[in-house]
Amino acid sequence: MTDLPTTARTDQPAGEALTGYLTAQAGVFLRALPLVVGEAGARAGTLPGGPGGQAAAGTAELLRAVRRIGGALHTYAAGFEPEWAERTRAELRWLLELLAQEPGCLRRSARLLAALDSLSETDPRRPGMLAGHQGAPKARALLERQLTLARTRAHSTLLQELRSARLHALADRMTLLAGEVPLVESQPELAGQAVAALELLSAGVAALPPARAPYGGEGLHRLSVVPPQGQSQAPGPTAEVDADAALAADDAPWGRVRILVKRARYALEVCGERLAGLDEVDEVLDRHQDAADAAVTVATAARTPRITPATAYVLGVVHADQRLEVEAARYAFGRRWPNLQQHGWHEWASS
Amino acid sequence: MTDLPTTARTDQPAGEALTGYLTAQAGVFLRALPLVVGEAGARAGTLPGGPGGQAAAGTAELLRAVRRIGGALHTYAAGFEPEWAERTRAELRWLLELLAQEPGCLRRSARLLAALDSLSETDPRRPGMLAGHQGAPKARALLERQLTLARTRAHSTLLQELRSARLHALADRMTLLAGEVPLVESQPELAGQAVAALELLSAGVAALPPARAPYGGEGLHRLSVVPPQGQSQAPGPTAEVDADAALAADDAPWGRVRILVKRARYALEVCGERLAGLDEVDEVLDRHQDAADAAVTVATAARTPRITPATAYVLGVVHADQRLEVEAARYAFGRRWPNLQQHGWHEWASS
């Protein structure tokens, strides 16, 4: 059930392993960056072909590297020159945010249009609950238009920033990192830090609201609002909340666990390890995030002035459908997590 | 796990048991009818007080008796003078249809308004996904108005029919039944007929579409259209279906199983038996029916001309929510059924 080899583990000195991991990832970064910049330069002002294009592949690679370098710098922070590590992480977060926008729009678009097409399917063998509804084509066109607009904006912002001094400075940092990692004298014990990352993940999962029975009738009705970390006080008992705030608060602890899963994955990667099931849980939480984002997009689209009631009705169904997908992802997480924790985890953590 | 006493079972001759059951139920019918008629007469043109009123209690009793007499006449049909039994069943079906309308409206109203209130709850400790949505009060008012109208119509129709010659004739039938049951010479073996009713139920359940994993992503998207019993041909592969037809076809096999459950319950009652769990399954399928009916009501309300997009959006969410309740009932059925079949069922059927 686990990939973790209990014998050949992290015998490398910590500094060597960190250097090996980071220089490799910086290399990925530097090879992927020109693909993104080149495409952007060649076709300035237009959108690249789609999710299959060279720029898209470059962006995916770049995102992978950015996440991994940032994760390693976070978990093994004690091993680096502190000011350098902190600044580098801040710049990587900025680039991550910037790069993630457009693929996010594409995924959201694919998800929502597929949901709409499925819901409004008129094939008599597998019809959807909106089969033949007159609002469906209009709702589809509206979502498509708004998502294309969002994508165009994200693309323009990216184009602009790809020419910025800030990106050049970050690329220089990565060039330096590919050559030499600015380690400090005393290196942390890698396995210990990885275990700490797993423990943080465990604590994050323990802080999630109690698991719901499937179809517990709570999904769309009562959201469990947990005050965001660091804010000790929940909203006062008399303050009313709006739906957007309530949904965001409901999703927040899951978003935190998603980050902790990624950090744990990359922390293990540095040690040359892989915990079976952690990748799947990561995917489940990505799906959670995508569905939650898609629901927000639909709720926003429903506030477009002058849409027809039929369009709005369809958007209401699609919104509920995406919130149901959020519930489905939570349920899937709840089924996988105990298994993940039982197998491999403890052996590894205690070996 | 079962209530079935294996010793003291149906030692009565069949005719005696049938007579006892039917005269008792006819008595219930005759005592309940004046409560319904009296209330209707006293407050003609106005709606009775609500679900707690004397008329409502009378209606519930009357419905119970009508269902049981009809069920017994169906399952043990071989024991009665055929023409009489068939005609009586037809008249009972007519009255059942008539009586069920108003309580159905009340249940639908309670269900939908509770769902809306829960979805739009703004208490920050347990907000709903429509918390603070401007369309919620309007959607609530619209549903309330339409359901009150439907209830008023059902009530008027009932009032009218309560004074009809047709009802008087049926009451006369019940008076005769309370005195003497028109049995034929050769009586069917009761337990054998009850087992046959259970077997029909089993076959109905086996004909249901395969169980879905919870949150299988099928619930709102792809409906499983099974051609109604007796219609061998599904719609041609090129014919498109609309959402109402698709949902009705999706719900149809569950509606059939609901009837088979009730028939099996009443068939066992005649034998003085009770199968543990069958009542619960009956309730689950009633919930299925109520949620499906409520979804239809919402879809219809959403077609009201000149509603605002915000109202329509909320109705879309509520529609999806009720279809989710339909899925939840199916899931609950799927969990209870194997247990019900394993315990008691076979012992009883084979004893």
Side-chain angles (χ1 to χ4, degrees), chain B residues 184-229:
Chain B
V184 290
E185 197 64 23
S186 129
Q187 282 296 309
E189 204 261 302
L190 289 190
Q193 298 301 105
V195 167
L198 288 171
E199 282 169 355
L200 278 173
L201 170 56
S202 255
V205 173
L208 289 173
R212 294 164 177 160
Y215 303 121
E218 296 277 298
L220 304 177
H221 290 209
R222 304 306 190 136
L223 308 170
S224 34
V225 175
V226 180
Q229 230 161 31

Side-chain angles (χ1 to χ4, degrees), chain A residues 126-128 218 221 223 313 319, chain B residues 126-128 131 218 221 223 313 319:
Chain A
R126 303 294 274 153
E218 296 276 299
H221 289 211
L223 307 169
Y313 179 76
H319 186 178
Chain B
R126 304 292 274 150
E218 296 277 298
H221 290 209
L223 308 170
Y313 180 76
H319 186 178

Side-chain angles (χ1 to χ4, degrees), chain A residues 118-119 121-122 124 126-129 131 214-215 218 220-223 239-240 243 302 307 309 312-313 316-317 319 321 324 331, chain B residues 118-119 121-122 124 126-129 131 214-215 218 220-223 239-240 243 302 307 309 312-313 316-317 319 321 324 331:
Chain A
S118 179
L119 283 163
E121 174 67 62
T122 53
R126 303 294 274 153
M129 71 164 264
Y215 303 120
E218 296 276 299
L220 303 176
H221 289 211
R222 304 304 191 139
L223 307 169
E240 296 201 340
I307 58 174
Y313 179 76
V317 172
H319 186 178
D321 177 61
L324 184 57
Y331 177 73
Chain B
S118 178
L119 282 164
E121 174 67 62
T122 52
R126 304 292 274 150
M129 69 164 265
Y215 303 121
E218 296 277 298
L220 304 177
H221 290 209
R222 304 306 190 136
L223 308 170
E240 296 201 338
I307 58 174
Y313 180 76
V317 171
H319 186 178
D321 177 60
L324 185 57
Y331 178 74

Side-chain angles (χ1 to χ4, degrees), chain A residues 100-185:
Chain A
Q101 295 305 317
E102 200 180 346
C105 284
L106 278 169
R107 280 201 311 281
R108 205 138 61 236
S109 182
R111 162 179 282 274
L112 285 172
L113 300 182
L116 235 167
D117 290 344
S118 179
L119 283 163
S120 57
E121 174 67 62
T122 53
D123 182 329
R125 286 161 305 185
R126 303 294 274 153
M129 71 164 264
L130 292 172
H133 197 285
Q134 55 157 325
K138 283 185 190 163
R140 194 186 201 283
L142 177 65
L143 286 174
E144 205 165 12
R145 201 162 57 241
Q146 298 198 342
L147 282 159
T148 304
L149 187 65
R151 193 187 156 201
T152 307
R153 280 201 191 121
H155 192 69
S156 303
T157 310
L158 179 64
L159 279 189
Q160 213 170 316
E161 297 296 336
L162 285 179
R163 288 189 291 259
S164 70
R166 192 171 181 182
L167 183 71
H168 282 286
L170 179 55
D172 287 346
R173 269 178 192 264
M174 291 300 116
T175 307
L176 289 173
L177 184 62
E180 195 195 347
V181 179
L183 298 173
V184 292
E185 197 66 19

